[in-house]
Amino acid sequence: QLQLQESGPGLVKPSETLSLTCTVSGASISSGDYYWDWIRQPPGKGLEWIATIYYSGSTYYNPSLKSRVTISVDTSKSQFSLKLSSVTAADTAVYYCARHTPESGNFYWGQGTLVTVSS
Amino acid sequence: QTVVTQEPSFSVSPGGTVTLTCGLSSGSVSNSNYPSWYQQTPGQAPRTFIYNTNIRSSGVPDRFSGSILGNKAALTITGAQADDESDYYCVLYMGSGLWVFGGGTKLTVL
């Protein structure tokens, strides 16, 4: 059964870079069957799609975050990662990794990890 | 930037029918947007309920259905139950690998 597990620091200082990793089990990240995503949700607010990567390295970014976001994949470790630079308090959120199948809005989510931006 | 619109809140009586909608600030929603619906309860990750307009996810009761109504995607609950009270989010594909979520609808069953 597919499982997605987010990991990374729960506290990041303003102006620094937020780094998260998603470990995939139960499916091959390099099979080409899925796209791999990062989505976030500020406390008490709605969902925001951040970025998507395909095993080949093709990347897609939310235009509003594109200048600060990098998504990458490490197929040897069955992981994909998110880096968000120059963070502010507005980046405080639960960050979810997810996957979706091509030509489908069926996202399958990890449990999420809360990242707080504070000094 | 395109905004995906949802009703902020909705109320339905137990046993009643309610239709939540998902629209675009500019233009019409179609099947090519792969409209999909998620239920989220407090403290939990979202769960897929309907994807690609009208495909019900495994384990979702058949009182939930999805469709295109006019220029919007719609999630209809027929015979609402107390445990349907939750937040519902839609997501739309905008092309070029980009996705946009709606702001969510808080459904009250009362």
Side-chain angles (χ1 to χ4, degrees):
Chain A
Q1 183 178 351
L2 175 66
Q3 290 192 329
L4 304 170
Q5 182 63 59
E6 304 89 350
S7 59
L11 181 65
V12 181
K13 289 182 168 55
S15 80
E16 295 189 345
T17 296
L18 177 160
S19 296
L20 294 173
T21 296
C22 182
T23 300
V24 179
S25 58
S28 171
I29 203 169
S30 57
S31 69
D33 290 339
Y34 303 116
Y35 288 83
W36 306 96
D37 312 282
W38 287 99
I39 298 161
R40 71 180 182 178
Q41 185 172 34
K45 296 187 178 181
L47 300 164
E48 181 178 36
W49 172 77
I50 302 171
T52 295
I53 191 165
Y54 196 48
Y55 80 102
S56 63
S58 297
T59 56
Y60 311 91
Y61 293 105
N62 185 323
S64 68
L65 297 169
K66 186 174 182 177
S67 64
R68 298 194 292 130
V69 174
T70 302
I71 188 172
S72 59
V73 64
D74 186 338
T75 55
S76 67
K77 295 182 179 179
S78 201
Q79 294 176 334
F80 63 105
S81 298
L82 174 74
K83 292 188 185 298
L84 179 64
S85 63
S86 305
V87 297
T88 69
D91 295 309
T92 294
V94 174
Y95 285 77
Y96 295 99
C97 63
R99 69 95 176 114
H100 72 275
T101 51
E103 299 185 348
S104 171
N106 186 8
F107 287 81
Y108 179 87
W109 309 66
Q111 284 303 300
T113 186
L114 175 63
V115 179
T116 301
V117 178
S118 175
S119 55
Chain B
Q1 188 174 351
T2 301
V3 175
V4 175
T5 60
Q6 294 186 249
E7 299 86 359
S9 62
F10 229 118
S11 183
V12 62
S13 300
T17 295
V18 62
T19 296
L20 311 183
T21 67
C22 177
L24 287 169
S25 57
S26 176
S28 299
V29 177
S30 70
N31 291 331
S32 61
N33 294 118
Y34 307 121
S36 303
W37 294 89
Y38 294 82
Q39 183 194 63
Q40 187 179 35
T41 52
Q44 299 297 313
R47 173 191 171 194
T48 308
F49 259 46
I50 299 287
Y51 64 97
N52 294 7
T53 304
N54 57 13
I55 301 174
R56 204 177 301 113
S57 190
S58 176
V60 173
D62 61 7
R63 64 178 181 275
F64 290 86
S65 62
S67 63
I68 299 289
L69 287 180
N71 62 351
K72 296 182 179 182
L75 174 68
T76 300
I77 308 172
T78 304
Q81 299 184 4
D83 62 2
D84 297 336
E85 186 164 294
S86 191
D87 294 330
Y88 292 87
Y89 292 91
C90 70
V91 67
L92 299 177
Y93 180 63
M94 298 302 177
S96 302
L98 307 184
W99 296 87
V100 180
F101 284 90
T105 297
K106 185 176 184 63
L107 180 67
T108 301
V109 180
L110 189 61

